[in-house]
Amino acid sequence: MAKKAKASVEKIVKKVNKEFEKTSSQIEGLVSDAMKQLDTLQHQVQDPIRKLLKEVDEVREREMKRFNDEFERRLDEFHELQTNILERLGVASKEDIRKAEKESKKDSNKAKAAKASTSANKPAAKKATPKKAPAKKPAAKKAPAKAPAAKTPKPVDKSDLTLVKGVGPATAKKMKEAGITSIDQIANPSTADQEKLNAFSNIKGFDQLSAEAKKIN
Protein backbone atom coordinates (compact mmCIF):
# COMPACT_ATOMS: atom_id res chain seq x y z
CA MET A 1 0.00 0.00 0.00
CA ALA A 2 2.91 2.31 0.66
CA LYS A 3 4.11 1.84 -2.92
CA LYS A 4 0.65 2.66 -4.29
CA ALA A 5 0.44 5.75 -2.11
CA LYS A 6 3.90 6.89 -3.19
CA ALA A 7 3.03 6.35 -6.86
CA SER A 8 -0.18 8.28 -6.39
CA VAL A 9 1.68 11.21 -4.80
CA GLU A 10 4.25 11.30 -7.59
CA LYS A 11 1.46 11.25 -10.14
CA ILE A 12 -0.23 14.20 -8.42
CA VAL A 13 3.08 16.10 -8.25
CA LYS A 14 3.72 15.56 -11.95
CA LYS A 15 0.23 16.71 -12.77
CA VAL A 16 0.64 19.82 -10.62
CA ASN A 17 4.02 20.59 -12.23
CA LYS A 18 2.52 20.18 -15.67
CA GLU A 19 -0.36 22.51 -14.83
CA PHE A 20 2.10 25.01 -13.33
CA GLU A 21 4.24 24.96 -16.48
CA LYS A 22 1.14 25.37 -18.61
CA THR A 23 -0.07 28.29 -16.49
CA SER A 24 3.40 29.91 -16.53
CA SER A 25 3.51 29.60 -20.31
CA GLN A 26 0.07 31.23 -20.58
CA ILE A 27 1.11 34.04 -18.24
CA GLU A 28 4.28 34.63 -20.26
CA GLY A 29 2.18 34.74 -23.43
CA LEU A 30 -0.22 37.24 -21.88
CA VAL A 31 2.68 39.42 -20.67
CA SER A 32 4.28 39.29 -24.12
CA ASP A 33 0.99 40.28 -25.79
CA ALA A 34 0.51 43.09 -23.26
CA MET A 35 4.02 44.43 -23.99
CA LYS A 36 3.36 44.33 -27.73
CA GLN A 37 0.07 46.19 -27.26
CA LEU A 38 1.84 48.70 -25.00
CA ASP A 39 4.51 49.31 -27.67
CA THR A 40 1.82 49.71 -30.34
CA LEU A 41 -0.12 52.12 -28.12
CA GLN A 42 3.04 54.09 -27.35
CA HIS A 43 3.76 54.49 -31.07
CA GLN A 44 0.16 55.49 -31.70
CA VAL A 45 0.43 58.20 -29.04
CA GLN A 46 3.97 59.41 -29.82
CA ASP A 47 3.53 59.74 -33.58
CA PRO A 48 0.63 62.26 -33.38
CA ILE A 49 2.47 64.16 -30.63
CA ARG A 50 5.64 64.39 -32.74
CA LYS A 51 3.54 65.50 -35.69
CA LEU A 52 1.74 68.07 -33.55
CA LEU A 53 5.02 69.42 -32.16
CA LYS A 54 6.42 69.70 -35.67
CA GLU A 55 3.32 71.61 -36.81
CA VAL A 56 3.59 73.89 -33.77
CA ASP A 57 7.24 74.68 -34.62
CA GLU A 58 6.31 75.40 -38.24
CA VAL A 59 3.46 77.68 -37.18
CA ARG A 60 5.71 79.49 -34.72
CA GLU A 61 8.43 80.05 -37.33
CA ARG A 62 5.85 81.23 -39.85
CA GLU A 63 4.26 83.63 -37.36
CA MET A 64 7.64 84.98 -36.24
CA LYS A 65 8.60 85.63 -39.87
CA ARG A 66 5.26 87.34 -40.48
CA PHE A 67 5.70 89.42 -37.31
CA ASN A 68 9.21 90.49 -38.33
CA ASP A 69 8.05 91.42 -41.83
CA GLU A 70 5.13 93.40 -40.41
CA PHE A 71 7.39 95.11 -37.87
CA GLU A 72 9.86 96.17 -40.58
CA ARG A 73 7.02 97.43 -42.77
CA ARG A 74 5.54 99.47 -39.92
CA LEU A 75 9.00 100.82 -39.06
CA ASP A 76 9.52 101.94 -42.66
CA GLU A 77 6.10 103.63 -42.64
CA PHE A 78 7.00 105.39 -39.38
CA HIS A 79 10.30 106.67 -40.81
CA GLU A 80 8.53 107.87 -43.94
CA LEU A 81 5.86 109.62 -41.87
CA GLN A 82 8.54 111.20 -39.68
CA THR A 83 10.35 112.49 -42.76
CA ASN A 84 7.13 113.94 -44.20
CA ILE A 85 6.33 115.69 -40.91
CA LEU A 86 9.83 117.18 -40.71
CA GLU A 87 9.57 118.38 -44.30
CA ARG A 88 6.18 119.99 -43.64
CA LEU A 89 7.48 121.73 -40.54
CA GLY A 90 10.53 122.90 -42.48
CA VAL A 91 12.93 121.01 -40.25
CA ALA A 92 15.87 119.42 -42.08
CA SER A 93 16.52 115.74 -41.56
CA LYS A 94 19.68 114.48 -39.86
CA GLU A 95 21.09 113.48 -43.22
CA ASP A 96 20.50 116.99 -44.58
CA ILE A 97 22.14 118.48 -41.49
CA ARG A 98 25.15 116.21 -41.90
CA LYS A 99 25.41 117.14 -45.59
CA ALA A 100 25.17 120.84 -44.73
CA GLU A 101 27.88 120.46 -42.08
CA LYS A 102 30.15 118.65 -44.56
CA GLU A 103 29.59 121.36 -47.21
CA SER A 104 30.23 124.08 -44.62
CA LYS A 105 33.49 122.41 -43.57
CA LYS A 106 34.56 122.09 -47.22
CA ASP A 107 33.82 125.79 -47.90
CA SER A 108 35.68 126.78 -44.72
CA ASN A 109 38.73 124.71 -45.67
CA LYS A 110 38.70 126.18 -49.21
CA ALA A 111 38.53 129.72 -47.82
CA LYS A 112 41.45 129.04 -45.45
CA ALA A 113 43.53 127.54 -48.25
CA ALA A 114 42.80 130.51 -50.56
CA LYS A 115 43.72 132.98 -47.82
CA ALA A 116 46.98 131.17 -47.08
CA SER A 117 47.85 131.11 -50.80
CA THR A 118 47.15 134.86 -51.18
CA SER A 119 49.30 135.69 -48.15
CA ALA A 120 52.19 133.60 -49.49
CA ASN A 121 52.12 135.19 -52.98
CA LYS A 122 51.66 138.78 -51.82
CA PRO A 123 54.95 140.75 -52.17
CA ALA A 124 56.32 142.49 -49.14
CA ALA A 125 55.30 146.14 -48.97
CA LYS A 126 58.06 148.73 -49.43
CA LYS A 127 58.89 150.86 -46.49
CA ALA A 128 57.56 154.33 -47.08
CA THR A 129 59.98 157.21 -46.60
CA PRO A 130 58.85 159.46 -43.81
CA LYS A 131 57.32 162.70 -45.05
CA LYS A 132 56.94 165.90 -43.23
CA ALA A 133 53.59 166.17 -41.67
CA PRO A 134 51.59 169.14 -42.93
CA ALA A 135 50.64 171.85 -40.51
CA LYS A 136 47.67 170.91 -38.48
CA LYS A 137 44.48 172.75 -39.21
CA PRO A 138 42.06 173.46 -36.45
CA ALA A 139 39.69 170.59 -36.25
CA ALA A 140 36.23 171.40 -37.49
CA LYS A 141 33.42 170.88 -35.08
CA LYS A 142 31.66 167.62 -35.75
CA ALA A 143 27.95 167.79 -36.25
CA PRO A 144 26.05 165.86 -33.61
CA ALA A 145 25.28 162.37 -34.81
CA LYS A 146 21.70 161.79 -35.68
CA ALA A 147 19.90 159.28 -33.51
CA PRO A 148 18.97 156.16 -35.50
CA ALA A 149 15.34 156.10 -36.48
CA ALA A 150 13.35 153.80 -34.25
CA LYS A 151 12.20 150.69 -36.03
CA THR A 152 8.48 150.18 -36.03
CA PRO A 153 7.71 146.78 -34.53
CA LYS A 154 6.13 144.28 -36.87
CA PRO A 155 2.48 143.79 -35.97
CA VAL A 156 1.70 140.42 -34.38
CA ASP A 157 -0.62 138.12 -36.29
CA LYS A 158 -3.22 137.55 -33.58
CA SER A 159 -4.85 134.84 -35.69
CA ASP A 160 -1.71 132.65 -35.36
CA LEU A 161 -2.61 130.75 -32.18
CA THR A 162 0.65 128.78 -32.32
CA LEU A 163 2.45 131.92 -31.02
CA VAL A 164 1.00 131.05 -27.60
CA LYS A 165 3.36 128.73 -25.72
CA GLY A 166 1.75 125.32 -25.35
CA VAL A 167 -0.45 125.53 -28.47
CA GLY A 168 0.75 123.37 -31.33
CA PRO A 169 -0.47 123.37 -34.96
CA ALA A 170 -2.97 120.55 -34.36
CA THR A 171 -4.40 122.21 -31.21
CA ALA A 172 -4.57 125.59 -32.97
CA LYS A 173 -6.59 124.03 -35.80
CA LYS A 174 -9.04 122.45 -33.33
CA MET A 175 -9.36 125.74 -31.42
CA LYS A 176 -10.23 127.61 -34.60
CA GLU A 177 -12.80 124.99 -35.45
CA ALA A 178 -14.27 125.50 -31.96
CA GLY A 179 -14.48 129.28 -32.51
CA ILE A 180 -11.24 130.50 -30.87
CA THR A 181 -9.73 132.43 -33.78
CA SER A 182 -7.68 135.11 -31.99
CA ILE A 183 -4.98 135.23 -29.31
CA ASP A 184 -7.05 137.88 -27.52
CA GLN A 185 -9.77 135.28 -26.92
CA ILE A 186 -7.19 133.21 -25.01
CA ALA A 187 -5.64 136.17 -23.15
CA ASN A 188 -8.96 137.70 -22.07
CA PRO A 189 -11.62 135.09 -22.72
CA SER A 190 -15.30 135.87 -22.39
CA THR A 191 -17.63 133.43 -20.66
CA ALA A 192 -18.42 131.78 -23.99
CA ASP A 193 -14.75 131.68 -24.95
CA GLN A 194 -13.83 130.16 -21.59
CA GLU A 195 -16.33 127.35 -22.15
CA LYS A 196 -14.76 126.70 -25.56
CA LEU A 197 -11.28 126.73 -24.03
CA ASN A 198 -12.29 124.28 -21.31
CA ALA A 199 -12.61 121.66 -24.03
CA PHE A 200 -8.79 121.79 -24.29
CA SER A 201 -8.09 121.44 -20.56
CA ASN A 202 -6.25 118.16 -21.18
CA ILE A 203 -3.35 119.80 -23.06
CA LYS A 204 -0.06 120.37 -21.23
CA GLY A 205 0.22 123.81 -19.59
CA PHE A 206 -3.49 124.65 -20.04
CA ASP A 207 -3.52 126.69 -16.81
CA GLN A 208 -0.81 128.99 -18.21
CA LEU A 209 -2.37 129.59 -21.65
CA SER A 210 -4.03 132.87 -20.68
CA ALA A 211 -0.82 134.20 -19.08
CA GLU A 212 1.27 133.17 -22.08
CA ALA A 213 -1.22 134.79 -24.46
CA LYS A 214 -1.05 138.08 -22.51
CA LYS A 215 2.71 138.19 -23.06
CA ILE A 216 2.14 138.51 -26.82
CA ASN A 217 1.67 142.11 -27.92
Side-chain angles (χ1 to χ4, degrees):
M1 287 184 69
K3 289 182 179 180
K4 287 182 179 181
K6 188 177 179 180
S8 179
V9 170
E10 289 178 355
K11 188 177 181 180
I12 291 171
V13 170
K14 287 181 180 179
K15 188 176 181 180
V16 169
N17 288 337
K18 188 177 181 181
E19 289 295 329
F20 180 76
E21 289 175 359
K22 184 179 179 181
T23 304
S24 297
S25 178
Q26 289 177 350
I27 291 172
E28 288 178 0
L30 291 172
V31 171
S32 178
D33 291 341
M35 291 299 293
K36 288 180 181 179
Q37 291 179 1
L38 183 62
D39 289 340
T40 303
L41 182 62
Q42 189 175 6
H43 285 300
Q44 289 176 350
V45 172
Q46 286 181 347
D47 289 344
I49 290 176
R50 289 196 188 100
K51 186 177 180 182
L52 181 61
L53 290 174
K54 185 178 179 182
E55 290 177 355
V56 169
D57 289 338
E58 290 176 355
V59 170
R60 183 178 60 185
E61 289 178 2
R62 187 168 60 249
E63 288 300 314
M64 285 299 295
K65 185 178 183 301
R66 187 181 66 83
F67 173 78
N68 288 333
D69 292 342
E70 183 67 16
F71 177 76
E72 290 179 1
R73 187 180 68 81
R74 292 290 179 89
L75 192 62
D76 291 339
E77 289 180 354
F78 173 75
H79 287 318
E80 185 177 353
L81 178 62
Q82 186 181 33
T83 303
N84 291 336
I85 291 173
L86 290 175
E87 288 177 355
R88 288 185 180 181
L89 294 176
V91 179
S93 63
K94 289 183 178 180
E95 186 177 355
D96 294 335
I97 293 172
R98 288 172 184 168
K99 287 181 179 179
E101 289 178 351
K102 287 181 180 179
E103 292 297 329
S104 177
K105 286 181 180 178
K106 286 181 181 178
D107 293 341
S108 177
N109 292 335
K110 286 181 180 178
K112 287 180 180 179
K115 187 175 180 181
S117 176
T118 304
S119 299
N121 296 329
K122 188 176 180 181
K126 293 181 180 180
K127 290 183 179 180
T129 54
K131 294 181 180 179
K132 291 182 180 180
K136 290 184 179 180
K137 294 181 180 180
K141 292 183 179 180
K142 292 183 180 179
K146 293 182 179 179
K151 294 182 179 179
T152 55
K154 188 177 180 180
V156 178
D157 184 5
K158 294 294 184 72
S159 64
D160 187 2
L161 303 183
T162 58
L163 296 175
V164 180
K165 185 178 180 181
V167 179
T171 305
K173 183 179 178 182
K174 291 180 180 179
M175 282 185 174
K176 287 187 177 182
E177 291 174 353
I180 304 297
T181 58
S182 173
I183 294 175
D184 293 333
Q185 290 176 272
I186 301 174
N188 301 296
S190 63
T191 304
D193 291 337
Q194 188 61 50
E195 290 180 359
K196 295 174 184 177
L197 288 171
N198 287 338
F200 302 92
S201 59
N202 59 339
I203 66 174
K204 187 177 180 180
F206 174 77
D207 297 336
Q208 300 297 322
L209 287 184
S210 180
E212 292 296 335
K214 289 178 181 178
K215 293 178 182 180
I216 302 170
N217 296 323

